[in-house]
Amino acid sequence: SVTPHEGSFAHPEMQKLFDVKIVGEDVVSEGETDVKSDAEKKVEDGTTESSAAATEVSVTEATATTEASATTSTEATSVDTDKVPKRKLACLVSFLGSNYSGFQINSLTKSLHAEIELGLYRAGLISKSNFGHPNKYSWSNSARTDKGVHAAAQVCSFKGEMIYHHEIDGFAKQLDAMREKVNECLPDDVRILDFERVTRTFCARTSRDKVRYQYMVPSFLFCSPDEARKAFA
């Protein structure tokens, strides 16, 4: 199995450290769903042996089995049709960085990436098997802000589940509903401003053409010592 990133809230240590509860959303490691217990294997083996020991199967039973298989096949086709599609998306993010170690996800620290990932997971845009594995949902961000730094509009990209594909007509309306859903799962100091569909090869980091940083300082720093003293006298 693959352990989630140590900076993701999918990791048990991060949940303990920052008191994050993921109620009813137990995270599984990759491949865990395919692993069967010894008891299950024994039951299966016993069933197989019993089947092998049987020497006669009536025509009626064979027909019933064939019909059941056909029904199962039809149901499987229906499930495939209802499967939620994934699309490469760009999102515009705004945040106050005062309560975060920075944007980049890092081991056992509260980062903005980890907070956004948790919101995407809780909203259903990231699956349980991908939660905690940024490379599996093709995550990329256009800039890496430091501790305490804010952003008015930062672009990120990822592969997300179109959770309203079967409920809402129109791609733009689906994306708007997804934005509202994710924001419900995020703290007040982080907002998703917009979602846009992009090409499969789009990468927020390599597709950018420029990055603008704005530094804000108190105006009195540009005053002479005498003027500053007068201002605060």
Side-chain angles (χ1 to χ4, degrees), residues 128-148:
K128 182 184 294 187
S129 60
N130 288 353
F131 183 35
H133 307 280
N135 61 310
K136 293 177 70 174
Y137 55 87
S138 304
W139 177 267
S140 178
N141 41 273
S142 59
R144 294 185 294 179
T145 51
D146 294 330
K147 181 178 180 179

PDB file of all heavy atoms in Angstrom, residues 128-148:
ATOM      1  N   LYS A 128     -11.500   9.079  -2.660  1.00  0.00           N
ATOM      2  CA  LYS A 128     -10.862   8.559  -1.453  1.00  0.00           C
ATOM      3  C   LYS A 128      -9.489   7.973  -1.753  1.00  0.00           C
ATOM      4  O   LYS A 128      -8.532   8.167  -0.997  1.00  0.00           O
ATOM      5  CB  LYS A 128     -11.765   7.507  -0.822  1.00  0.00           C
ATOM      6  CG  LYS A 128     -11.227   6.928   0.476  1.00  0.00           C
ATOM      7  CD  LYS A 128     -12.115   5.812   1.000  1.00  0.00           C
ATOM      8  CE  LYS A 128     -13.471   6.311   1.418  1.00  0.00           C
ATOM      9  NZ  LYS A 128     -14.265   5.235   2.077  1.00  0.00           N
ATOM     10  N   SER A 129      -9.362   7.257  -2.876  1.00  0.00           N
ATOM     11  CA  SER A 129      -8.088   6.620  -3.220  1.00  0.00           C
ATOM     12  C   SER A 129      -7.020   7.635  -3.635  1.00  0.00           C
ATOM     13  O   SER A 129      -5.831   7.347  -3.555  1.00  0.00           O
ATOM     14  CB  SER A 129      -8.295   5.597  -4.341  1.00  0.00           C
ATOM     15  OG  SER A 129      -8.811   6.218  -5.496  1.00  0.00           O
ATOM     16  N   ASN A 130      -7.442   8.830  -4.077  1.00  0.00           N
ATOM     17  CA  ASN A 130      -6.483   9.856  -4.507  1.00  0.00           C
ATOM     18  C   ASN A 130      -6.142  10.849  -3.406  1.00  0.00           C
ATOM     19  O   ASN A 130      -5.142  11.566  -3.498  1.00  0.00           O
ATOM     20  CB  ASN A 130      -7.026  10.618  -5.713  1.00  0.00           C
ATOM     21  CG  ASN A 130      -7.015   9.790  -6.984  1.00  0.00           C
ATOM     22  OD1 ASN A 130      -6.482   8.679  -7.003  1.00  0.00           O
ATOM     23  ND2 ASN A 130      -7.602  10.309  -8.040  1.00  0.00           N
ATOM     24  N   PHE A 131      -6.963  10.912  -2.376  1.00  0.00           N
ATOM     25  CA  PHE A 131      -6.753  11.845  -1.273  1.00  0.00           C
ATOM     26  C   PHE A 131      -5.421  11.559  -0.587  1.00  0.00           C
ATOM     27  O   PHE A 131      -5.164  10.459  -0.136  1.00  0.00           O
ATOM     28  CB  PHE A 131      -7.912  11.707  -0.282  1.00  0.00           C
ATOM     29  CG  PHE A 131      -7.872  12.655   0.876  1.00  0.00           C
ATOM     30  CD1 PHE A 131      -7.394  13.948   0.741  1.00  0.00           C
ATOM     31  CD2 PHE A 131      -8.342  12.251   2.121  1.00  0.00           C
ATOM     32  CE1 PHE A 131      -7.378  14.831   1.815  1.00  0.00           C
ATOM     33  CE2 PHE A 131      -8.335  13.116   3.203  1.00  0.00           C
ATOM     34  CZ  PHE A 131      -7.850  14.410   3.048  1.00  0.00           C
ATOM     35  N   GLY A 132      -4.566  12.572  -0.533  1.00  0.00           N
ATOM     36  CA  GLY A 132      -3.251  12.394   0.068  1.00  0.00           C
ATOM     37  C   GLY A 132      -2.164  12.047  -0.926  1.00  0.00           C
ATOM     38  O   GLY A 132      -1.004  11.877  -0.560  1.00  0.00           O
ATOM     39  N   HIS A 133      -2.530  11.970  -2.212  1.00  0.00           N
ATOM     40  CA  HIS A 133      -1.572  11.632  -3.273  1.00  0.00           C
ATOM     41  C   HIS A 133      -1.683  12.665  -4.400  1.00  0.00           C
ATOM     42  O   HIS A 133      -2.346  12.416  -5.420  1.00  0.00           O
ATOM     43  CB  HIS A 133      -1.843  10.233  -3.811  1.00  0.00           C
ATOM     44  CG  HIS A 133      -1.895   9.170  -2.757  1.00  0.00           C
ATOM     45  ND1 HIS A 133      -0.764   8.604  -2.212  1.00  0.00           N
ATOM     46  CD2 HIS A 133      -2.948   8.588  -2.122  1.00  0.00           C
ATOM     47  CE1 HIS A 133      -1.109   7.713  -1.297  1.00  0.00           C
ATOM     48  NE2 HIS A 133      -2.432   7.687  -1.225  1.00  0.00           N
ATOM     49  N   PRO A 134      -1.083  13.849  -4.236  1.00  0.00           N
ATOM     50  CA  PRO A 134      -1.216  14.935  -5.213  1.00  0.00           C
ATOM     51  C   PRO A 134      -0.875  14.550  -6.646  1.00  0.00           C
ATOM     52  O   PRO A 134      -1.497  15.041  -7.594  1.00  0.00           O
ATOM     53  CB  PRO A 134      -0.237  15.994  -4.683  1.00  0.00           C
ATOM     54  CG  PRO A 134      -0.161  15.734  -3.222  1.00  0.00           C
ATOM     55  CD  PRO A 134      -0.260  14.245  -3.086  1.00  0.00           C
ATOM     56  N   ASN A 135       0.092  13.646  -6.834  1.00  0.00           N
ATOM     57  CA  ASN A 135       0.466  13.249  -8.187  1.00  0.00           C
ATOM     58  C   ASN A 135      -0.655  12.466  -8.878  1.00  0.00           C
ATOM     59  O   ASN A 135      -0.776  12.499 -10.109  1.00  0.00           O
ATOM     60  CB  ASN A 135       1.742  12.393  -8.155  1.00  0.00           C
ATOM     61  CG  ASN A 135       1.565  11.113  -7.352  1.00  0.00           C
ATOM     62  OD1 ASN A 135       1.098  11.138  -6.216  1.00  0.00           O
ATOM     63  ND2 ASN A 135       1.942   9.982  -7.928  1.00  0.00           N
ATOM     64  N   LYS A 136      -1.511  11.807  -8.108  1.00  0.00           N
ATOM     65  CA  LYS A 136      -2.586  11.012  -8.692  1.00  0.00           C
ATOM     66  C   LYS A 136      -3.718  11.882  -9.228  1.00  0.00           C
ATOM     67  O   LYS A 136      -4.455  11.463 -10.123  1.00  0.00           O
ATOM     68  CB  LYS A 136      -3.118  10.011  -7.663  1.00  0.00           C
ATOM     69  CG  LYS A 136      -2.099   8.937  -7.297  1.00  0.00           C
ATOM     70  CD  LYS A 136      -2.618   8.007  -6.221  1.00  0.00           C
ATOM     71  CE  LYS A 136      -3.723   7.113  -6.707  1.00  0.00           C
ATOM     72  NZ  LYS A 136      -4.109   6.110  -5.681  1.00  0.00           N
ATOM     73  N   TYR A 137      -3.872  13.076  -8.670  1.00  0.00           N
ATOM     74  CA  TYR A 137      -4.880  13.982  -9.229  1.00  0.00           C
ATOM     75  C   TYR A 137      -4.228  15.167  -9.970  1.00  0.00           C
ATOM     76  O   TYR A 137      -4.848  16.203 -10.195  1.00  0.00           O
ATOM     77  CB  TYR A 137      -5.890  14.458  -8.172  1.00  0.00           C
ATOM     78  CG  TYR A 137      -5.308  15.121  -6.936  1.00  0.00           C
ATOM     79  CD1 TYR A 137      -5.040  16.480  -6.898  1.00  0.00           C
ATOM     80  CD2 TYR A 137      -5.072  14.384  -5.783  1.00  0.00           C
ATOM     81  CE1 TYR A 137      -4.542  17.098  -5.764  1.00  0.00           C
ATOM     82  CE2 TYR A 137      -4.574  14.986  -4.634  1.00  0.00           C
ATOM     83  CZ  TYR A 137      -4.318  16.346  -4.630  1.00  0.00           C
ATOM     84  OH  TYR A 137      -3.818  16.952  -3.491  1.00  0.00           O
ATOM     85  N   SER A 138      -2.960  14.977 -10.358  1.00  0.00           N
ATOM     86  CA  SER A 138      -2.221  15.916 -11.230  1.00  0.00           C
ATOM     87  C   SER A 138      -2.223  17.348 -10.699  1.00  0.00           C
ATOM     88  O   SER A 138      -2.464  18.300 -11.447  1.00  0.00           O
ATOM     89  CB  SER A 138      -2.820  15.892 -12.648  1.00  0.00           C
ATOM     90  OG  SER A 138      -2.816  14.592 -13.173  1.00  0.00           O
ATOM     91  N   TRP A 139      -1.911  17.512  -9.438  1.00  0.00           N
ATOM     92  CA  TRP A 139      -1.932  18.847  -8.821  1.00  0.00           C
ATOM     93  C   TRP A 139      -0.739  19.704  -9.251  1.00  0.00           C
ATOM     94  O   TRP A 139       0.386  19.216  -9.361  1.00  0.00           O
ATOM     95  CB  TRP A 139      -1.931  18.729  -7.306  1.00  0.00           C
ATOM     96  CG  TRP A 139      -1.891  20.068  -6.614  1.00  0.00           C
ATOM     97  CD1 TRP A 139      -0.794  20.748  -6.180  1.00  0.00           C
ATOM     98  CD2 TRP A 139      -3.015  20.898  -6.325  1.00  0.00           C
ATOM     99  NE1 TRP A 139      -1.157  21.940  -5.625  1.00  0.00           N
ATOM    100  CE2 TRP A 139      -2.523  22.059  -5.703  1.00  0.00           C
ATOM    101  CE3 TRP A 139      -4.394  20.767  -6.523  1.00  0.00           C
ATOM    102  CZ2 TRP A 139      -3.364  23.094  -5.272  1.00  0.00           C
ATOM    103  CZ3 TRP A 139      -5.229  21.788  -6.096  1.00  0.00           C
ATOM    104  CH2 TRP A 139      -4.716  22.928  -5.475  1.00  0.00           C
ATOM    105  N   SER A 140      -0.994  20.980  -9.477  1.00  0.00           N
ATOM    106  CA  SER A 140       0.067  21.939  -9.762  1.00  0.00           C
ATOM    107  C   SER A 140      -0.397  23.322  -9.319  1.00  0.00           C
ATOM    108  O   SER A 140      -1.591  23.637  -9.424  1.00  0.00           O
ATOM    109  CB  SER A 140       0.409  21.967 -11.257  1.00  0.00           C
ATOM    110  OG  SER A 140       1.399  22.938 -11.518  1.00  0.00           O
ATOM    111  N   ASN A 141       0.516  24.145  -8.809  1.00  0.00           N
ATOM    112  CA  ASN A 141       0.169  25.521  -8.433  1.00  0.00           C
ATOM    113  C   ASN A 141       1.142  26.499  -9.071  1.00  0.00           C
ATOM    114  O   ASN A 141       2.319  26.202  -9.260  1.00  0.00           O
ATOM    115  CB  ASN A 141       0.141  25.697  -6.907  1.00  0.00           C
ATOM    116  CG  ASN A 141       1.255  25.002  -6.181  1.00  0.00           C
ATOM    117  OD1 ASN A 141       1.126  23.825  -5.837  1.00  0.00           O
ATOM    118  ND2 ASN A 141       2.341  25.701  -5.928  1.00  0.00           N
ATOM    119  N   SER A 142       0.635  27.672  -9.423  1.00  0.00           N
ATOM    120  CA  SER A 142       1.426  28.640 -10.193  1.00  0.00           C
ATOM    121  C   SER A 142       2.491  29.340  -9.366  1.00  0.00           C
ATOM    122  O   SER A 142       3.442  29.887  -9.924  1.00  0.00           O
ATOM    123  CB  SER A 142       0.495  29.694 -10.821  1.00  0.00           C
ATOM    124  OG  SER A 142      -0.246  30.365  -9.815  1.00  0.00           O
ATOM    125  N   ALA A 143       2.345  29.350  -8.039  1.00  0.00           N
ATOM    126  CA  ALA A 143       3.336  30.010  -7.184  1.00  0.00           C
ATOM    127  C   ALA A 143       3.336  29.365  -5.810  1.00  0.00           C
ATOM    128  O   ALA A 143       2.340  28.754  -5.399  1.00  0.00           O
ATOM    129  CB  ALA A 143       3.028  31.500  -7.064  1.00  0.00           C
ATOM    130  N   ARG A 144       4.449  29.490  -5.111  1.00  0.00           N
ATOM    131  CA  ARG A 144       4.562  28.944  -3.760  1.00  0.00           C
ATOM    132  C   ARG A 144       4.807  30.094  -2.789  1.00  0.00           C
ATOM    133  O   ARG A 144       5.923  30.579  -2.661  1.00  0.00           O
ATOM    134  CB  ARG A 144       5.701  27.927  -3.684  1.00  0.00           C
ATOM    135  CG  ARG A 144       5.467  26.687  -4.513  1.00  0.00           C
ATOM    136  CD  ARG A 144       6.550  25.656  -4.326  1.00  0.00           C
ATOM    137  NE  ARG A 144       7.829  26.138  -4.849  1.00  0.00           N
ATOM    138  CZ  ARG A 144       8.962  25.451  -4.798  1.00  0.00           C
ATOM    139  NH1 ARG A 144       8.975  24.262  -4.220  1.00  0.00           N
ATOM    140  NH2 ARG A 144      10.061  25.930  -5.317  1.00  0.00           N
ATOM    141  N   THR A 145       3.753  30.537  -2.134  1.00  0.00           N
ATOM    142  CA  THR A 145       3.892  31.651  -1.200  1.00  0.00           C
ATOM    143  C   THR A 145       4.494  31.158   0.117  1.00  0.00           C
ATOM    144  O   THR A 145       4.340  30.003   0.498  1.00  0.00           O
ATOM    145  CB  THR A 145       2.518  32.292  -0.920  1.00  0.00           C
ATOM    146  OG1 THR A 145       1.589  31.263  -0.541  1.00  0.00           O
ATOM    147  CG2 THR A 145       1.992  32.994  -2.154  1.00  0.00           C
ATOM    148  N   ASP A 146       5.160  32.080   0.809  1.00  0.00           N
ATOM    149  CA  ASP A 146       5.800  31.747   2.079  1.00  0.00           C
ATOM    150  C   ASP A 146       4.806  31.856   3.236  1.00  0.00           C
ATOM    151  O   ASP A 146       3.644  32.227   3.048  1.00  0.00           O
ATOM    152  CB  ASP A 146       6.984  32.688   2.323  1.00  0.00           C
ATOM    153  CG  ASP A 146       8.095  32.480   1.303  1.00  0.00           C
ATOM    154  OD1 ASP A 146       8.241  31.341   0.830  1.00  0.00           O
ATOM    155  OD2 ASP A 146       8.787  33.459   0.973  1.00  0.00           O
ATOM    156  N   LYS A 147       5.290  31.578   4.419  1.00  0.00           N
ATOM    157  CA  LYS A 147       4.470  31.634   5.624  1.00  0.00           C
ATOM    158  C   LYS A 147       3.899  33.037   5.816  1.00  0.00           C
ATOM    159  O   LYS A 147       4.619  34.034   5.734  1.00  0.00           O
ATOM    160  CB  LYS A 147       5.320  31.247   6.834  1.00  0.00           C
ATOM    161  CG  LYS A 147       4.555  31.246   8.147  1.00  0.00           C
ATOM    162  CD  LYS A 147       5.459  30.813   9.292  1.00  0.00           C
ATOM    163  CE  LYS A 147       4.688  30.814  10.613  1.00  0.00           C
ATOM    164  NZ  LYS A 147       5.543  30.379  11.745  1.00  0.00           N
ATOM    165  N   GLY A 148       2.594  33.107   6.062  1.00  0.00           N
ATOM    166  CA  GLY A 148       1.952  34.387   6.350  1.00  0.00           C
ATOM    167  C   GLY A 148       1.636  35.251   5.142  1.00  0.00           C
ATOM    168  O   GLY A 148       1.078  36.335   5.286  1.00  0.00           O
TER     169      GLY A 148
END
